[in-house]
Amino acid sequence: YYKGITMKRFFGKLGIFAFAATLFVGCSEDRVSYAGPDYVMFSDSLQTIAIQNSETYYDIPVSATTACDYDRTYAVEVVDKGSNAIEGLHYELQSNSVTIKAGELASSVKIKGFYENFEDTDSLGINLRLVAPQEKIWDIYGDETKVQFVKICPFDIQRFVGYAKVTSNFFTDYMPATEFRLVTVEQDSEKENGVIINDFFLDGMDLKISFDTQKPLEPKVNMETQAVTKLSEISGGAVLGTDMVLAVPYTGAVSYFNVCQGFALLYHTFYVEGYESAGPIGTYPTVVEWISEEEYNYLKKQGY
């Protein structure tokens, strides 16, 4: 998730009173409270758009440092260098110009993506250039912005119910005989957008997770501390504390999911319950990949 250079930095330097004054002034010298030049620019140098359908237009903000008493129209062009999305196939501009209306400080270029023409793993984007008189472009911000397109498939909890493969770096260190685990996943009726991954690291011990869908570009997985295996199972019989190995959500990285590709990446730090004073036994990523019933049965027959 990316943020470009924003106008907030600029207005923060001017001060709140100078910023407020610009809302009521024109371009003529006798009416200007902001003493700087008249600049126009894209509000961000990098923007990411979540493509969820083929109808919605998204705003690419354009800002000016002063308000004028007349409309200002600027051309917008797609720069070939750095652009790999194809106009008419992957995206469409509503207009090749943008107008900042009289008395206003901002407007936007409107763009939409064609959802059905994006592959799940596409990494596509375009560079837009604002065509304005040279003296109108501020060197600090430039006249271009990068627009990245990200395909976001509609969330459906059933996408994450059924069968899955669990692969973890934890296995490498503590369960070397395990390449991956085949598991079943059921919906958790007690939690919104929640599922229960049965037999997560050990038969009879499940992991509950839920999917946070509030921000399409930030699809997070929520988890609580849960016991996932036993120390005696991974240590050749040694028992410490309660023998339960706790999977504690790791705060140093975001656990997330991908609807289009059908996987979740989970980060945990593992402790032995009742022996936490000894410190963690490690922090590891785990991938849960949802698969078809056919693949699940096939792998089962192969001895997994």
Side-chain angles (χ1 to χ4, degrees), residues 115-130:
Y115 177 87
E116 61 276 5
N117 293 336
F118 283 85
E119 298 297 330
D120 294 347
T121 57
D122 276 346
S123 178
L124 300 174
I126 58 172
N127 283 334
L128 293 179
R129 176 180 294 150
L130 196 62

Side-chain angles (χ1 to χ4, degrees), residues 204-259:
M205 302 188 72
D206 309 330
L207 183 79
K208 294 184 178 183
I209 65 175
S210 62
F211 304 101
D212 185 343
T213 62
Q214 296 300 310
K215 298 180 179 179
L217 288 172
E218 299 178 18
K220 299 177 182 178
V221 173
N222 295 323
M223 301 177 290
E224 298 177 357
T225 297
Q226 298 164 74
V228 293
T229 189
K230 297 179 179 180
L231 180 62
S232 56
E233 290 285 337
I234 64 174
S235 64
V239 176
L240 294 172
T242 67
D243 195 34
M244 295 296 178
V245 176
L246 300 177
V248 180
Y250 177 57
T251 58
V254 176
S255 295
Y256 67 92
F257 66 96
N258 185 297
V259 179

Side-chain angles (χ1 to χ4, degrees), residues 129-150:
R129 176 180 294 150
L130 196 62
V131 182
Q134 189 60 38
E135 66 272 16
K136 297 288 187 181
I137 300 298
W138 199 352
D139 292 340
I140 295 176
Y141 293 92
D143 58 355
E144 294 186 11
T145 187
K146 178 73 173 181
V147 180
Q148 297 275 18
F149 301 107
V150 177

Side-chain angles (χ1 to χ4, degrees), residues 192-213:
E192 182 180 7
N193 294 333
V195 296
I196 302 171
I197 304 173
N198 298 312
D199 307 324
F200 183 57
F201 276 11
L202 182 68
D203 289 355
M205 302 188 72
D206 309 330
L207 183 79
K208 294 184 178 183
I209 65 175
S210 62
F211 304 101
D212 185 343
T213 62

